[in-house]
Structures are given as structure tokens and as C-alpha cells.
């Protein structure tokens, strides 16, 4: 049976270990809070999408023109917000025929609706470096709820990079041409870089 000194030492060691784990957990949980501030979305960001096809393959592309800002509230992540505008005329797929079709009134109708806008309505922390972003997505004059999941990939004193993913039903916006051969679901995969200021 261990003596009282040994038992006391063991308890002290266990207490210190527990305290260290708690402090480490708290420090790690502040990853988003430490990045508090307002950011401008850089042109170097990458906004890609894909639509699958029944027989395999599908359409993959990206958008080269967009703008936006986001603010991370360090005291309450739930008060953070995102404001993002995408110019669908900048769509690129590597195939002129497909790009022309996407810009036409069958899909984006860029002549009448030159912008697609997302504005967040709520931000919920889902992990020490991740959050669920809900908001209103407006395209072709129609507005519906949309959800995106964002994870911090890296950051420094001035910049932060997020990996953002989400899915949108194109039929909600009158863009359902080609279904069911082409999926109604559009998958977004984005690398967003923000700069303070």
C-alpha cells in the first residue's frame, strides 16, 4: 500500500495533468475567436462546383469573378456574418459550348440576373476551427435558404483560409434544365482566402 506522500504526489500529478488538458482544450477551442475581425475575400480564392450525370461524368467548373466580406465575432461566433456575391457570367468549364449554355436563360440567365448573392442569417460553431453557415441565397430573382460548412485551414496575423463546402438544389432557382440526366444537386467546393481590412 503506497504511503501518504506517494499518494499525495500522484494526486498532485494527476491534477496538474488534468489542468493542462483543460487549458490546452480551451486554447484550441479559441481558434475561431483568435481570428476575430473583418475580412475581404481575395480574388485568389477558388470557387468550384460540380453537377453529376446519370451515366457518369457530369459538369465541373469554377467562377473567376466574385466579391465579398465576412466578419468573425471573437466574443460570440454566432454574431459573425458573411456577405458574398458571385458573377455567374464568369463561369468556366473548359468547354465553350457548355459555358454558353450555362450563361443562357436556361440556367443562369446572366443577361437579366448578373449576380448570385449569399447573405448569412446564422453562424454556428461546430468545432474548434469549424462552423455551419446558414443564409439566404438569391439567384434568378428567387431566394431560398442555403447551408455551407466552413473549416479554417490556415491563418496568420493578416490572412485566413477557409475550406467551404455546400450543396444547392438548382430547381429552386429555375435552373433545372437537363434533369434528371444531370443531377438537380450542385456541389460547391471552395477555398476562400480572407484579408483583414
Amino acid at each position: 500500500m503506497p504511503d501518504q506522500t506517494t499518494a499525495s504526489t500522484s494526486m498532485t500529478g494527476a491534477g496538474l495533468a488534468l489542468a493542462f488538458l483543460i487549458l490546452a482544450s480551451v486554447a484550441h477551442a479559441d481558434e475561431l475567436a483568435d481570428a476575430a475581425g473583418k475580412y475581404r475575400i481575395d480574388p485568389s480564392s477558388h470557387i468550384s462546383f460540380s453537377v453529376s450525370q446519370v451515366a457518369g461524368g457530369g459538369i465541373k467548373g469554377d467562377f473567376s469573378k466574385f466579391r465579398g466580406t465576412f466578419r468573425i465575432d471573437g466574443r460570440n461566433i454566432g454574431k459573425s456574418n458573411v456577405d458574398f456575391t458571385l458573377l455567374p457570367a464568369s463561369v468556366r468549364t473548359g468547354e465553350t459550348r457548355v459555358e454558353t449554355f450555362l450563361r443562357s436563360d436556361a440556367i443562369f440567365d446572366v443577361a437579366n440576373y448578373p449576380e448570385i448573392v449569399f447573405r448569412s442569417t446564422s453562424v454556428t460553431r461546430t468545432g474548434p476551427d469549424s462552423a455551419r453557415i446558414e443564409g439566404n441565397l438569391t439567384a434568378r430573382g428567387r431566394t431560398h435558404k442555403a447551408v455551407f460548412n466552413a473549416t479554417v485551414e490556415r491563418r496568420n496575423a493578416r490572412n485566413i483560409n477557409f475550406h467551404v463546402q455546400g450543396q444547392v438544389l438548382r430547381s429552386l432557382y429555375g435552373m433545372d434544365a437537363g434533369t434528371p440526366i444531370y443531377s438537380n444537386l450542385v456541389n460547391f467546393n471552395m477555398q476562400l482566402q480572407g484579408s483583414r481590412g
Side-chain angles (χ1 to χ4, degrees), residues 65-67 83-90 108-119 137-142 173 175:
K65 293 183 180 180
F66 45 82
R67 64 180 182 274
D83 193 330
F84 184 77
T85 299
L86 178 71
L87 277 62
S90 70
F108 294 130
D109 192 6
V110 298
N112 294 303
Y113 304 100
E115 296 183 343
I116 294 175
V117 177
F118 175 80
R119 289 192 173 91
L137 180 67
T138 301
R140 289 183 57 126
R142 305 182 186 186
Y173 305 92
M175 302 183 191

PDB file of all heavy atoms in Angstrom, residues 65-67 83-90 108-119 137-142 173 175:
ATOM      1  N   LYS A  65     -14.971  35.437 -61.103  1.00  0.00           N
ATOM      2  CA  LYS A  65     -15.277  36.766 -60.575  1.00  0.00           C
ATOM      3  C   LYS A  65     -16.283  36.677 -59.427  1.00  0.00           C
ATOM      4  O   LYS A  65     -17.355  36.090 -59.564  1.00  0.00           O
ATOM      5  CB  LYS A  65     -15.818  37.664 -61.687  1.00  0.00           C
ATOM      6  CG  LYS A  65     -14.775  37.978 -62.761  1.00  0.00           C
ATOM      7  CD  LYS A  65     -15.317  38.933 -63.808  1.00  0.00           C
ATOM      8  CE  LYS A  65     -14.266  39.239 -64.870  1.00  0.00           C
ATOM      9  NZ  LYS A  65     -14.783  40.163 -65.903  1.00  0.00           N
ATOM     10  N   PHE A  66     -15.915  37.295 -58.328  1.00  0.00           N
ATOM     11  CA  PHE A  66     -16.742  37.298 -57.119  1.00  0.00           C
ATOM     12  C   PHE A  66     -16.188  38.355 -56.177  1.00  0.00           C
ATOM     13  O   PHE A  66     -15.085  38.879 -56.371  1.00  0.00           O
ATOM     14  CB  PHE A  66     -16.722  35.913 -56.447  1.00  0.00           C
ATOM     15  CG  PHE A  66     -15.344  35.319 -56.371  1.00  0.00           C
ATOM     16  CD1 PHE A  66     -14.453  35.685 -55.361  1.00  0.00           C
ATOM     17  CD2 PHE A  66     -14.914  34.422 -57.333  1.00  0.00           C
ATOM     18  CE1 PHE A  66     -13.179  35.150 -55.303  1.00  0.00           C
ATOM     19  CE2 PHE A  66     -13.631  33.887 -57.296  1.00  0.00           C
ATOM     20  CZ  PHE A  66     -12.763  34.251 -56.277  1.00  0.00           C
ATOM     21  N   ARG A  67     -16.951  38.667 -55.166  1.00  0.00           N
ATOM     22  CA  ARG A  67     -16.501  39.615 -54.153  1.00  0.00           C
ATOM     23  C   ARG A  67     -17.267  39.331 -52.859  1.00  0.00           C
ATOM     24  O   ARG A  67     -18.309  38.671 -52.881  1.00  0.00           O
ATOM     25  CB  ARG A  67     -16.735  41.057 -54.601  1.00  0.00           C
ATOM     26  CG  ARG A  67     -18.201  41.422 -54.792  1.00  0.00           C
ATOM     27  CD  ARG A  67     -18.378  42.867 -55.249  1.00  0.00           C
ATOM     28  NE  ARG A  67     -19.782  43.219 -55.380  1.00  0.00           N
ATOM     29  CZ  ARG A  67     -20.516  43.005 -56.480  1.00  0.00           C
ATOM     30  NH1 ARG A  67     -19.961  42.443 -57.555  1.00  0.00           N
ATOM     31  NH2 ARG A  67     -21.797  43.365 -56.507  1.00  0.00           N
ATOM     32  N   ASP A  83     -21.105  37.918 -46.339  1.00  0.00           N
ATOM     33  CA  ASP A  83     -21.800  38.587 -47.443  1.00  0.00           C
ATOM     34  C   ASP A  83     -20.992  38.298 -48.708  1.00  0.00           C
ATOM     35  O   ASP A  83     -19.844  38.735 -48.825  1.00  0.00           O
ATOM     36  CB  ASP A  83     -21.861  40.095 -47.175  1.00  0.00           C
ATOM     37  CG  ASP A  83     -22.839  40.807 -48.110  1.00  0.00           C
ATOM     38  OD1 ASP A  83     -23.021  40.327 -49.241  1.00  0.00           O
ATOM     39  OD2 ASP A  83     -23.391  41.844 -47.711  1.00  0.00           O
ATOM     40  N   PHE A  84     -21.595  37.549 -49.647  1.00  0.00           N
ATOM     41  CA  PHE A  84     -20.839  37.075 -50.800  1.00  0.00           C
ATOM     42  C   PHE A  84     -21.631  37.254 -52.089  1.00  0.00           C
ATOM     43  O   PHE A  84     -22.822  36.945 -52.137  1.00  0.00           O
ATOM     44  CB  PHE A  84     -20.506  35.595 -50.601  1.00  0.00           C
ATOM     45  CG  PHE A  84     -19.645  34.998 -51.674  1.00  0.00           C
ATOM     46  CD1 PHE A  84     -18.287  35.246 -51.704  1.00  0.00           C
ATOM     47  CD2 PHE A  84     -20.186  34.183 -52.649  1.00  0.00           C
ATOM     48  CE1 PHE A  84     -17.474  34.709 -52.687  1.00  0.00           C
ATOM     49  CE2 PHE A  84     -19.401  33.627 -53.646  1.00  0.00           C
ATOM     50  CZ  PHE A  84     -18.031  33.899 -53.659  1.00  0.00           C
ATOM     51  N   THR A  85     -20.965  37.773 -53.124  1.00  0.00           N
ATOM     52  CA  THR A  85     -21.608  37.968 -54.422  1.00  0.00           C
ATOM     53  C   THR A  85     -20.787  37.282 -55.505  1.00  0.00           C
ATOM     54  O   THR A  85     -19.573  37.480 -55.606  1.00  0.00           O
ATOM     55  CB  THR A  85     -21.730  39.471 -54.756  1.00  0.00           C
ATOM     56  OG1 THR A  85     -22.544  40.097 -53.761  1.00  0.00           O
ATOM     57  CG2 THR A  85     -22.374  39.663 -56.120  1.00  0.00           C
ATOM     58  N   LEU A  86     -21.474  36.497 -56.313  1.00  0.00           N
ATOM     59  CA  LEU A  86     -20.855  35.732 -57.389  1.00  0.00           C
ATOM     60  C   LEU A  86     -21.372  36.229 -58.734  1.00  0.00           C
ATOM     61  O   LEU A  86     -22.559  36.499 -58.879  1.00  0.00           O
ATOM     62  CB  LEU A  86     -21.213  34.254 -57.211  1.00  0.00           C
ATOM     63  CG  LEU A  86     -20.728  33.243 -58.243  1.00  0.00           C
ATOM     64  CD1 LEU A  86     -19.224  33.060 -58.119  1.00  0.00           C
ATOM     65  CD2 LEU A  86     -21.425  31.905 -58.007  1.00  0.00           C
ATOM     66  N   LEU A  87     -20.480  36.372 -59.707  1.00  0.00           N
ATOM     67  CA  LEU A  87     -20.889  36.795 -61.052  1.00  0.00           C
ATOM     68  C   LEU A  87     -20.917  35.563 -61.956  1.00  0.00           C
ATOM     69  O   LEU A  87     -19.861  35.077 -62.392  1.00  0.00           O
ATOM     70  CB  LEU A  87     -19.912  37.838 -61.602  1.00  0.00           C
ATOM     71  CG  LEU A  87     -20.148  39.295 -61.148  1.00  0.00           C
ATOM     72  CD1 LEU A  87     -20.010  39.428 -59.643  1.00  0.00           C
ATOM     73  CD2 LEU A  87     -19.196  40.231 -61.864  1.00  0.00           C
ATOM     74  N   PRO A  88     -22.112  35.025 -62.242  1.00  0.00           N
ATOM     75  CA  PRO A  88     -22.218  33.774 -62.994  1.00  0.00           C
ATOM     76  C   PRO A  88     -21.695  33.852 -64.429  1.00  0.00           C
ATOM     77  O   PRO A  88     -21.366  32.825 -65.021  1.00  0.00           O
ATOM     78  CB  PRO A  88     -23.712  33.457 -62.963  1.00  0.00           C
ATOM     79  CG  PRO A  88     -24.382  34.765 -62.710  1.00  0.00           C
ATOM     80  CD  PRO A  88     -23.439  35.525 -61.838  1.00  0.00           C
ATOM     81  N   ALA A  89     -21.586  35.067 -64.993  1.00  0.00           N
ATOM     82  CA  ALA A  89     -21.055  35.194 -66.349  1.00  0.00           C
ATOM     83  C   ALA A  89     -19.595  34.761 -66.415  1.00  0.00           C
ATOM     84  O   ALA A  89     -19.064  34.477 -67.487  1.00  0.00           O
ATOM     85  CB  ALA A  89     -21.190  36.638 -66.837  1.00  0.00           C
ATOM     86  N   SER A  90     -18.938  34.686 -65.257  1.00  0.00           N
ATOM     87  CA  SER A  90     -17.521  34.304 -65.209  1.00  0.00           C
ATOM     88  C   SER A  90     -17.318  32.794 -65.122  1.00  0.00           C
ATOM     89  O   SER A  90     -16.200  32.335 -64.888  1.00  0.00           O
ATOM     90  CB  SER A  90     -16.846  34.981 -64.013  1.00  0.00           C
ATOM     91  OG  SER A  90     -17.308  34.422 -62.774  1.00  0.00           O
ATOM     92  N   PHE A 108     -28.293  30.232 -65.829  1.00  0.00           N
ATOM     93  CA  PHE A 108     -28.031  31.440 -65.044  1.00  0.00           C
ATOM     94  C   PHE A 108     -28.786  32.679 -65.542  1.00  0.00           C
ATOM     95  O   PHE A 108     -29.074  33.577 -64.756  1.00  0.00           O
ATOM     96  CB  PHE A 108     -26.529  31.749 -65.015  1.00  0.00           C
ATOM     97  CG  PHE A 108     -25.704  30.728 -64.280  1.00  0.00           C
ATOM     98  CD1 PHE A 108     -24.574  30.176 -64.863  1.00  0.00           C
ATOM     99  CD2 PHE A 108     -26.056  30.312 -63.003  1.00  0.00           C
ATOM    100  CE1 PHE A 108     -23.797  29.244 -64.191  1.00  0.00           C
ATOM    101  CE2 PHE A 108     -25.297  29.373 -62.324  1.00  0.00           C
ATOM    102  CZ  PHE A 108     -24.165  28.837 -62.917  1.00  0.00           C
ATOM    103  N   ASP A 109     -29.059  32.751 -66.827  1.00  0.00           N
ATOM    104  CA  ASP A 109     -29.709  33.920 -67.419  1.00  0.00           C
ATOM    105  C   ASP A 109     -28.962  35.197 -67.009  1.00  0.00           C
ATOM    106  O   ASP A 109     -29.525  36.115 -66.407  1.00  0.00           O
ATOM    107  CB  ASP A 109     -31.170  33.998 -66.977  1.00  0.00           C
ATOM    108  CG  ASP A 109     -31.974  35.013 -67.789  1.00  0.00           C
ATOM    109  OD1 ASP A 109     -31.426  35.565 -68.767  1.00  0.00           O
ATOM    110  OD2 ASP A 109     -33.138  35.251 -67.432  1.00  0.00           O
ATOM    111  N   VAL A 110     -27.670  35.245 -67.349  1.00  0.00           N
ATOM    112  CA  VAL A 110     -26.813  36.337 -66.892  1.00  0.00           C
ATOM    113  C   VAL A 110     -27.239  37.698 -67.448  1.00  0.00           C
ATOM    114  O   VAL A 110     -26.931  38.738 -66.849  1.00  0.00           O
ATOM    115  CB  VAL A 110     -25.339  36.063 -67.237  1.00  0.00           C
ATOM    116  CG1 VAL A 110     -24.861  34.795 -66.534  1.00  0.00           C
ATOM    117  CG2 VAL A 110     -25.126  35.962 -68.737  1.00  0.00           C
ATOM    118  N   ALA A 111     -27.939  37.715 -68.571  1.00  0.00           N
ATOM    119  CA  ALA A 111     -28.388  38.989 -69.147  1.00  0.00           C
ATOM    120  C   ALA A 111     -29.371  39.705 -68.224  1.00  0.00           C
ATOM    121  O   ALA A 111     -29.370  40.934 -68.138  1.00  0.00           O
ATOM    122  CB  ALA A 111     -29.028  38.751 -70.519  1.00  0.00           C
ATOM    123  N   ASN A 112     -30.200  38.926 -67.530  1.00  0.00           N
ATOM    124  CA  ASN A 112     -31.200  39.518 -66.629  1.00  0.00           C
ATOM    125  C   ASN A 112     -30.834  39.426 -65.151  1.00  0.00           C
ATOM    126  O   ASN A 112     -31.334  40.211 -64.348  1.00  0.00           O
ATOM    127  CB  ASN A 112     -32.557  38.831 -66.853  1.00  0.00           C
ATOM    128  CG  ASN A 112     -33.119  39.105 -68.229  1.00  0.00           C
ATOM    129  OD1 ASN A 112     -33.305  40.261 -68.605  1.00  0.00           O
ATOM    130  ND2 ASN A 112     -33.381  38.048 -68.996  1.00  0.00           N
ATOM    131  N   TYR A 113     -29.974  38.463 -64.818  1.00  0.00           N
ATOM    132  CA  TYR A 113     -29.590  38.271 -63.421  1.00  0.00           C
ATOM    133  C   TYR A 113     -28.066  38.129 -63.327  1.00  0.00           C
ATOM    134  O   TYR A 113     -27.532  37.021 -63.257  1.00  0.00           O
ATOM    135  CB  TYR A 113     -30.276  37.036 -62.849  1.00  0.00           C
ATOM    136  CG  TYR A 113     -31.788  37.080 -62.964  1.00  0.00           C
ATOM    137  CD1 TYR A 113     -32.450  36.399 -63.984  1.00  0.00           C
ATOM    138  CD2 TYR A 113     -32.541  37.841 -62.062  1.00  0.00           C
ATOM    139  CE1 TYR A 113     -33.831  36.452 -64.101  1.00  0.00           C
ATOM    140  CE2 TYR A 113     -33.923  37.901 -62.171  1.00  0.00           C
ATOM    141  CZ  TYR A 113     -34.563  37.199 -63.188  1.00  0.00           C
ATOM    142  OH  TYR A 113     -35.927  37.262 -63.300  1.00  0.00           O
ATOM    143  N   PRO A 114     -27.358  39.240 -63.362  1.00  0.00           N
ATOM    144  CA  PRO A 114     -25.891  39.207 -63.412  1.00  0.00           C
ATOM    145  C   PRO A 114     -25.197  38.798 -62.115  1.00  0.00           C
ATOM    146  O   PRO A 114     -23.978  38.573 -62.123  1.00  0.00           O
ATOM    147  CB  PRO A 114     -25.525  40.644 -63.791  1.00  0.00           C
ATOM    148  CG  PRO A 114     -26.655  41.463 -63.260  1.00  0.00           C
ATOM    149  CD  PRO A 114     -27.878  40.616 -63.436  1.00  0.00           C
ATOM    150  N   GLU A 115     -25.964  38.702 -61.023  1.00  0.00           N
ATOM    151  CA  GLU A 115     -25.342  38.369 -59.741  1.00  0.00           C
ATOM    152  C   GLU A 115     -26.090  37.259 -59.007  1.00  0.00           C
ATOM    153  O   GLU A 115     -27.310  37.153 -59.099  1.00  0.00           O
ATOM    154  CB  GLU A 115     -25.280  39.605 -58.831  1.00  0.00           C
ATOM    155  CG  GLU A 115     -24.404  40.722 -59.352  1.00  0.00           C
ATOM    156  CD  GLU A 115     -24.323  41.894 -58.390  1.00  0.00           C
ATOM    157  OE1 GLU A 115     -25.169  42.002 -57.475  1.00  0.00           O
ATOM    158  OE2 GLU A 115     -23.409  42.718 -58.558  1.00  0.00           O
ATOM    159  N   ILE A 116     -25.338  36.463 -58.279  1.00  0.00           N
ATOM    160  CA  ILE A 116     -25.886  35.493 -57.324  1.00  0.00           C
ATOM    161  C   ILE A 116     -25.363  35.922 -55.956  1.00  0.00           C
ATOM    162  O   ILE A 116     -24.154  36.113 -55.782  1.00  0.00           O
ATOM    163  CB  ILE A 116     -25.431  34.059 -57.655  1.00  0.00           C
ATOM    164  CG1 ILE A 116     -26.029  33.617 -58.997  1.00  0.00           C
ATOM    165  CG2 ILE A 116     -25.847  33.091 -56.541  1.00  0.00           C
ATOM    166  CD1 ILE A 116     -25.539  32.263 -59.477  1.00  0.00           C
ATOM    167  N   VAL A 117     -26.266  36.106 -55.007  1.00  0.00           N
ATOM    168  CA  VAL A 117     -25.888  36.685 -53.714  1.00  0.00           C
ATOM    169  C   VAL A 117     -26.214  35.745 -52.557  1.00  0.00           C
ATOM    170  O   VAL A 117     -27.298  35.151 -52.515  1.00  0.00           O
ATOM    171  CB  VAL A 117     -26.609  38.043 -53.496  1.00  0.00           C
ATOM    172  CG1 VAL A 117     -26.269  38.620 -52.126  1.00  0.00           C
ATOM    173  CG2 VAL A 117     -26.232  39.026 -54.600  1.00  0.00           C
ATOM    174  N   PHE A 118     -25.267  35.630 -51.636  1.00  0.00           N
ATOM    175  CA  PHE A 118     -25.498  34.869 -50.398  1.00  0.00           C
ATOM    176  C   PHE A 118     -25.249  35.787 -49.213  1.00  0.00           C
ATOM    177  O   PHE A 118     -24.199  36.434 -49.124  1.00  0.00           O
ATOM    178  CB  PHE A 118     -24.568  33.663 -50.304  1.00  0.00           C
ATOM    179  CG  PHE A 118     -24.682  32.916 -48.995  1.00  0.00           C
ATOM    180  CD1 PHE A 118     -25.722  32.009 -48.791  1.00  0.00           C
ATOM    181  CD2 PHE A 118     -23.778  33.134 -47.966  1.00  0.00           C
ATOM    182  CE1 PHE A 118     -25.848  31.332 -47.578  1.00  0.00           C
ATOM    183  CE2 PHE A 118     -23.895  32.463 -46.752  1.00  0.00           C
ATOM    184  CZ  PHE A 118     -24.935  31.558 -46.570  1.00  0.00           C
ATOM    185  N   ARG A 119     -26.210  35.839 -48.307  1.00  0.00           N
ATOM    186  CA  ARG A 119     -26.053  36.601 -47.069  1.00  0.00           C
ATOM    187  C   ARG A 119     -26.425  35.701 -45.896  1.00  0.00           C
ATOM    188  O   ARG A 119     -27.521  35.140 -45.856  1.00  0.00           O
ATOM    189  CB  ARG A 119     -26.931  37.860 -47.081  1.00  0.00           C
ATOM    190  CG  ARG A 119     -26.435  38.922 -48.059  1.00  0.00           C
ATOM    191  CD  ARG A 119     -27.120  40.258 -47.857  1.00  0.00           C
ATOM    192  NE  ARG A 119     -26.509  41.292 -48.691  1.00  0.00           N
ATOM    193  CZ  ARG A 119     -26.905  41.606 -49.915  1.00  0.00           C
ATOM    194  NH1 ARG A 119     -27.948  40.967 -50.434  1.00  0.00           N
ATOM    195  NH2 ARG A 119     -26.299  42.538 -50.612  1.00  0.00           N
ATOM    196  N   LEU A 137     -29.772  32.511 -50.162  1.00  0.00           N
ATOM    197  CA  LEU A 137     -29.107  32.510 -51.455  1.00  0.00           C
ATOM    198  C   LEU A 137     -30.102  33.007 -52.501  1.00  0.00           C
ATOM    199  O   LEU A 137     -31.190  32.430 -52.646  1.00  0.00           O
ATOM    200  CB  LEU A 137     -28.618  31.111 -51.801  1.00  0.00           C
ATOM    201  CG  LEU A 137     -27.902  30.958 -53.149  1.00  0.00           C
ATOM    202  CD1 LEU A 137     -26.579  31.716 -53.139  1.00  0.00           C
ATOM    203  CD2 LEU A 137     -27.654  29.482 -53.455  1.00  0.00           C
ATOM    204  N   THR A 138     -29.729  34.067 -53.217  1.00  0.00           N
ATOM    205  CA  THR A 138     -30.616  34.643 -54.226  1.00  0.00           C
ATOM    206  C   THR A 138     -30.006  34.480 -55.614  1.00  0.00           C
ATOM    207  O   THR A 138     -28.868  34.890 -55.863  1.00  0.00           O
ATOM    208  CB  THR A 138     -30.848  36.140 -53.953  1.00  0.00           C
ATOM    209  OG1 THR A 138     -31.434  36.294 -52.656  1.00  0.00           O
ATOM    210  CG2 THR A 138     -31.785  36.738 -54.989  1.00  0.00           C
ATOM    211  N   ALA A 139     -30.773  33.849 -56.513  1.00  0.00           N
ATOM    212  CA  ALA A 139     -30.342  33.651 -57.899  1.00  0.00           C
ATOM    213  C   ALA A 139     -31.569  33.704 -58.797  1.00  0.00           C
ATOM    214  O   ALA A 139     -32.635  33.193 -58.437  1.00  0.00           O
ATOM    215  CB  ALA A 139     -29.625  32.310 -58.057  1.00  0.00           C
ATOM    216  N   ARG A 140     -31.454  34.331 -59.931  1.00  0.00           N
ATOM    217  CA  ARG A 140     -32.563  34.478 -60.868  1.00  0.00           C
ATOM    218  C   ARG A 140     -33.818  35.043 -60.190  1.00  0.00           C
ATOM    219  O   ARG A 140     -34.944  34.641 -60.484  1.00  0.00           O
ATOM    220  CB  ARG A 140     -32.890  33.130 -61.524  1.00  0.00           C
ATOM    221  CG  ARG A 140     -31.838  32.678 -62.519  1.00  0.00           C
ATOM    222  CD  ARG A 140     -32.211  31.391 -63.207  1.00  0.00           C
ATOM    223  NE  ARG A 140     -33.492  31.471 -63.903  1.00  0.00           N
ATOM    224  CZ  ARG A 140     -33.682  31.161 -65.196  1.00  0.00           C
ATOM    225  NH1 ARG A 140     -32.654  30.751 -65.931  1.00  0.00           N
ATOM    226  NH2 ARG A 140     -34.869  31.235 -65.750  1.00  0.00           N
ATOM    227  N   GLY A 141     -33.617  35.952 -59.262  1.00  0.00           N
ATOM    228  CA  GLY A 141     -34.731  36.616 -58.606  1.00  0.00           C
ATOM    229  C   GLY A 141     -35.446  35.788 -57.557  1.00  0.00           C
ATOM    230  O   GLY A 141     -36.465  36.213 -57.018  1.00  0.00           O
ATOM    231  N   ARG A 142     -34.906  34.605 -57.239  1.00  0.00           N
ATOM    232  CA  ARG A 142     -35.517  33.737 -56.231  1.00  0.00           C
ATOM    233  C   ARG A 142     -34.586  33.580 -55.045  1.00  0.00           C
ATOM    234  O   ARG A 142     -33.375  33.437 -55.213  1.00  0.00           O
ATOM    235  CB  ARG A 142     -35.835  32.362 -56.816  1.00  0.00           C
ATOM    236  CG  ARG A 142     -36.714  32.405 -58.061  1.00  0.00           C
ATOM    237  CD  ARG A 142     -37.014  31.004 -58.549  1.00  0.00           C
ATOM    238  NE  ARG A 142     -37.731  31.001 -59.819  1.00  0.00           N
ATOM    239  CZ  ARG A 142     -38.208  29.910 -60.404  1.00  0.00           C
ATOM    240  NH1 ARG A 142     -38.037  28.728 -59.819  1.00  0.00           N
ATOM    241  NH2 ARG A 142     -38.846  29.982 -61.555  1.00  0.00           N
ATOM    242  N   TYR A 173     -34.220  27.489 -58.081  1.00  0.00           N
ATOM    243  CA  TYR A 173     -33.933  28.778 -58.722  1.00  0.00           C
ATOM    244  C   TYR A 173     -34.275  28.790 -60.214  1.00  0.00           C
ATOM    245  O   TYR A 173     -33.827  29.668 -60.952  1.00  0.00           O
ATOM    246  CB  TYR A 173     -32.452  29.120 -58.507  1.00  0.00           C
ATOM    247  CG  TYR A 173     -32.084  29.110 -57.041  1.00  0.00           C
ATOM    248  CD1 TYR A 173     -31.586  27.952 -56.434  1.00  0.00           C
ATOM    249  CD2 TYR A 173     -32.271  30.245 -56.244  1.00  0.00           C
ATOM    250  CE1 TYR A 173     -31.274  27.932 -55.083  1.00  0.00           C
ATOM    251  CE2 TYR A 173     -31.964  30.225 -54.887  1.00  0.00           C
ATOM    252  CZ  TYR A 173     -31.472  29.058 -54.318  1.00  0.00           C
ATOM    253  OH  TYR A 173     -31.177  29.036 -52.974  1.00  0.00           O
ATOM    254  N   MET A 175     -33.381  26.598 -62.461  1.00  0.00           N
ATOM    255  CA  MET A 175     -32.229  26.179 -63.252  1.00  0.00           C
ATOM    256  C   MET A 175     -32.216  24.666 -63.476  1.00  0.00           C
ATOM    257  O   MET A 175     -31.165  24.040 -63.556  1.00  0.00           O
ATOM    258  CB  MET A 175     -30.927  26.579 -62.550  1.00  0.00           C
ATOM    259  CG  MET A 175     -30.769  28.049 -62.271  1.00  0.00           C
ATOM    260  SD  MET A 175     -29.157  28.371 -61.514  1.00  0.00           S
ATOM    261  CE  MET A 175     -29.354  30.066 -60.980  1.00  0.00           C
TER     262      MET A 175
END
